[in-house]
Amino acid sequence: MGRERETTPKQQGGAPYTVEQLVALNPYNPDILPDLENYVNEQVSSRTYSLDANLCLLRLYQFEPERMSTQIVARILVKALMALPAPDFSLCLFLIPERVQMEEQFKSLIVLSHYLETARFQQFWDEATKSRHILEVVPGFEQAVQDYAIHVLSLTYQKVPRPVLAEAINIEGLSLDKFLEHRVTNCGWAVEKGHHGKGQLIVLPRNEFNRPELKKSTTDRIPLDHIARIFPILG
C-alpha cells in the first residue's frame, strides 16, 4: 500500500521510505506530516485504507495544531466510518480536539456515526443526504455502509422482510431487484415469498449469530488432559 515518494527520506540503499516505514521508524517526526496528508488523499483515490498512518497524522496534528487540515481530518473520519464495525471512528475522534469537533461538518459525521452504531439506518440515510458534499468526496462510502448494514442484519435475522432490507441499505424498486439478483448469484442469498404469499423474505446465509446452533460451544467442554489428571486424585 505504501507508494514511494521522492520527497521522503532515503534508506541506505538510496530508495525512498514508504509511508508505513516512515510511521514505524519515527511516528512523531513532524517532517513526515505532508507525506501522511498525501497518503490520506491516496487512500481516498485508490480505495485503500491505513488506520495506523491516519492515527499517526492525527497525533502529529495535536503537536502541530496550526498545520491541521480540516479537509484531511474529515476524509480520515469518513474512511473510519467505512471501516465499521471496527472502532476506528472512535479511535480517530479521540485524537481530534473538541474545538474542531464542534465544527459543523464534524458534528454531522459524529451524528452519522451514532446512527450507524445504533442501527438507525433510516435516520442515517436521511442525515447523509444533508452531508452529501462531505461523503461523496470519498468513493465507495455508500457501498461500505450498505455492507455494514447487511452485517448488522445478519447478526439478527435468518430471513429479512424486503422493506426492512430496503430501508437499511437505502435501495428500492428495480435497483433492489438487481441488488438481490447479484447477492443470490454470488453471496448465497435466497428470496422466498412472505407469510400468506405476501411480500418477499430475503434468506441470509447461516452464521453463528442468526443460527445459534452453529456456534461451537467451548464453555461446556472439559479438556481430556484435565480429566486424566482428575482420575488419580479420585482414586
Side-chain angles (χ1 to χ4, degrees):
M1 277 172 45
R3 190 172 298 172
E4 295 177 347
R5 295 177 175 80
E6 294 301 325
T7 56
T8 57
K10 299 290 183 68
Q11 303 180 55
Q12 286 185 352
Y17 287 107
T18 65
V19 171
E20 285 87 352
Q21 289 172 329
L22 291 173
V23 170
L25 288 170
N26 195 354
Y28 296 103
N29 180 5
D31 292 339
I32 69 172
L33 197 149
D35 291 283
L36 292 172
E37 290 180 328
N38 289 335
Y39 195 40
V40 172
N41 291 326
E42 183 178 308
Q43 291 172 57
V44 170
S45 60
S46 62
R47 299 197 182 199
T48 55
Y49 182 56
S50 174
L51 174 64
D52 289 341
N54 294 345
L55 290 176
C56 180
L57 176 56
L58 293 175
R59 281 192 293 268
L60 286 176
Y61 280 153
Q62 289 185 316
F63 296 114
E64 306 265 346
E66 71 283 355
R67 299 176 66 182
M68 176 182 288
S69 165
T70 54
Q71 180 187 72
I72 291 293
V73 173
R75 292 182 178 187
I76 288 175
L77 288 179
V78 173
K79 293 292 283 188
L81 272 183
M82 294 168 64
L84 282 167
D88 298 14
F89 187 87
S90 296
L91 293 175
C92 292
L93 198 64
F94 181 75
L95 297 174
I96 300 173
E98 187 174 349
R99 60 175 178 78
V100 178
Q101 294 183 31
M102 294 306 294
E103 293 185 19
E104 201 61 39
Q105 62 176 335
F106 298 117
K107 286 164 63 175
S108 297
L109 290 173
I110 292 170
V111 169
L112 290 173
S113 171
H114 174 69
Y115 284 151
L116 287 177
E117 290 173 356
T118 55
R120 295 158 66 183
F121 295 115
Q122 183 175 9
Q123 291 96 322
F124 167 82
W125 291 114
D126 290 343
E127 184 68 26
T129 301
K130 305 174 189 174
S131 305
R132 196 178 296 275
H133 62 289
I134 306 171
L135 305 175
E136 286 186 341
V137 174
V138 183
F141 177 79
E142 186 171 310
Q143 181 181 347
V145 173
Q146 289 168 345
D147 289 342
Y148 169 70
I150 291 167
H151 164 77
V152 172
L153 292 177
S154 72
L155 298 181
T156 307
Y157 287 97
Q158 298 174 15
K159 299 179 180 181
V160 184
R162 180 181 172 119
V164 173
L165 177 66
E167 179 181 288
I169 63 176
N170 198 36
I171 302 178
E172 294 180 331
L174 291 176
S175 296
L176 182 56
D177 290 338
K178 292 180 180 179
F179 180 88
L180 290 173
E181 183 180 341
H182 175 79
R183 290 277 172 164
V184 168
T185 303
N186 298 284
C187 303
W189 290 22
V191 178
E192 61 182 40
K193 290 183 178 180
H195 299 297
H196 310 296
K198 295 181 179 179
Q200 286 182 326
L201 291 174
I202 289 77
V203 184
L204 300 176
R206 296 166 54 148
N207 61 63
E208 65 182 21
F209 299 101
N210 63 21
R211 301 285 176 92
E213 68 273 14
L214 296 180
K215 188 173 185 178
K216 295 180 180 179
S217 175
T218 56
T219 55
D220 297 334
R221 294 182 180 178
I222 302 177
L224 192 59
D225 61 324
H226 288 194
I227 297 174
R229 288 198 295 267
I230 291 173
F231 277 135
I233 297 174
L234 294 177

